[in-house]
Amino acid sequence: DAKTTQPPSMDCAEGRAANLPCNHSTISGNEYVYWYRQIHSQGPQYIIHGLKNNETNEMASLIITEDRKSSTLILPHATLRDTAVYYCIVRVLAGGNNYGQNFVFGPGTRLSVLP
Amino acid sequence: DSGVTQTPKHLITATGQRVTLRCSPRSGDLSVYWYQQSLDQGLQFLIQYYNGEERAKGNILERFSAQQFPDLHSELNLSSLELGDSALYFCASSPRGGSGELFFGEGSRLTVL
């Protein structure tokens, strides 16, 4: 699986958009971009994923550049409860006989939402 | 609530002992993953099972073993425990045919004294 690079930490004012970047310059054509977050010592929580098109759900938006070498997770109106470590992962989608893939979590970005 | 249940939530034991951590995946999920998270390290993938069979192995020590039972619950066995085994142990499950996302339990915090 391709490696990702994220800034170690970021701050964001409450109510403002949080834009978390991720570099995955060695991503291959069949690898998806996944975002998870971990609040304090809770279990990581799935946020969103995408292949090449921008995606949006109730939690966030994912913007993937046209060359797919980087992406940005956007939390449109950050709240204090969004303070967490955010992980960007690239991974081949499991399917057929491809069950042996695992998610490799890097150090992530520690987002602090400030009042 | 992810639907993944892990027990026990907390466990304190002594060096040299053996413990078993249990995970019940979400209803219908066939894949179970185990991860270890130490204080000074990130989430480390240990092992994955799919419908009772081992599918992938990560940085799992020989003192550790796991299995997935016919009812799809999984157990992680840690033996000859050392101080450095103190960590959070997470279990996750994923559905077959889904989009590949993992659903994590709340973890089992192991303290080895």
Side-chain angles (χ1 to χ4, degrees), chain A residues 32 34 36 38 40-46 49 87 91 93-94 96-97 99-107, chain B residues 31 33 35 37 42-45 48 50 55-57 88 90 96 98-107 109:
Chain A
Y32 284 68
Y34 289 81
Y36 283 77
Q38 187 176 23
H40 194 45
S41 294
Q42 298 178 19
Q45 177 189 24
Y46 164 80
H49 76 282
Y87 300 99
R91 176 186 185 267
L93 185 67
N97 292 324
Y99 297 115
Q101 298 288 319
N102 65 82
F103 284 84
V104 179
F105 287 81
Chain B
S31 279
Y33 301 72
Y35 283 82
Q37 188 172 37
L43 283 153
Q44 301 291 320
F45 169 70
Q48 180 209 354
Y50 178 83
R55 287 292 182 174
K57 220 169 191 177
L88 268 167
F90 289 106
R96 182 180 186 183
S99 299
E101 62 265 36
L102 299 184
F103 296 89
F104 282 82
E106 290 305 308
R109 182 177 292 279

Side-chain angles (χ1 to χ4, degrees), chain A residues 68-111:
Chain A
R68 302 208 327 120
K69 292 184 177 182
S70 66
S71 60
T72 301
L73 178 74
I74 301 173
L75 308 179
H77 305 286
T79 71
L80 299 179
R81 287 173 294 182
D82 292 322
T83 293
V85 177
Y86 287 77
Y87 300 99
C88 169
I89 302 160
V90 294
R91 176 186 185 267
V92 174
L93 185 67
N97 292 324
N98 182 25
Y99 297 115
Q101 298 288 319
N102 65 82
F103 284 84
V104 179
F105 287 81
T109 295
R110 184 172 297 277
L111 175 69

Side-chain angles (χ1 to χ4, degrees), chain B residues 24-71:
Chain B
S24 294
R26 295 187 329 151
S27 177
D29 286 0
L30 301 180
S31 279
V32 169
Y33 301 72
W34 286 98
Y35 283 82
Q36 177 193 54
Q37 188 172 37
S38 303
L39 195 59
D40 57 351
Q41 294 193 12
L43 283 153
Q44 301 291 320
F45 169 70
L46 295 178
I47 198 164
Q48 180 209 354
Y49 280 83
Y50 178 83
N51 201 21
E53 293 186 10
E54 181 184 306
R55 287 292 182 174
K57 220 169 191 177
N59 300 321
I60 187 167
L61 300 172
E62 285 191 10
R63 300 183 286 109
F64 296 179
S65 65
Q67 55 183 327
Q68 186 179 27
F69 294 86
D71 67 352

Side-chain angles (χ1 to χ4, degrees), chain A residues 23-82:
Chain A
N23 187 300
H24 32 79
S25 58
T26 60
I27 192 170
S28 58
N30 61 347
E31 286 184 314
Y32 284 68
V33 180
Y34 289 81
W35 283 84
Y36 283 77
R37 72 180 182 183
Q38 187 176 23
I39 297 172
H40 194 45
S41 294
Q42 298 178 19
Q45 177 189 24
Y46 164 80
I47 300 174
I48 198 168
H49 76 282
L51 182 62
K52 54 184 177 181
N53 297 320
N54 298 337
E55 302 288 344
T56 295
N57 63 21
E58 65 278 4
M59 289 183 67
S61 295
L62 173 60
I63 309 297
I64 303 174
T65 57
E66 194 167 340
D67 63 8
R68 302 208 327 120
K69 292 184 177 182
S70 66
S71 60
T72 301
L73 178 74
I74 301 173
L75 308 179
H77 305 286
T79 71
L80 299 179
R81 287 173 294 182
D82 292 322

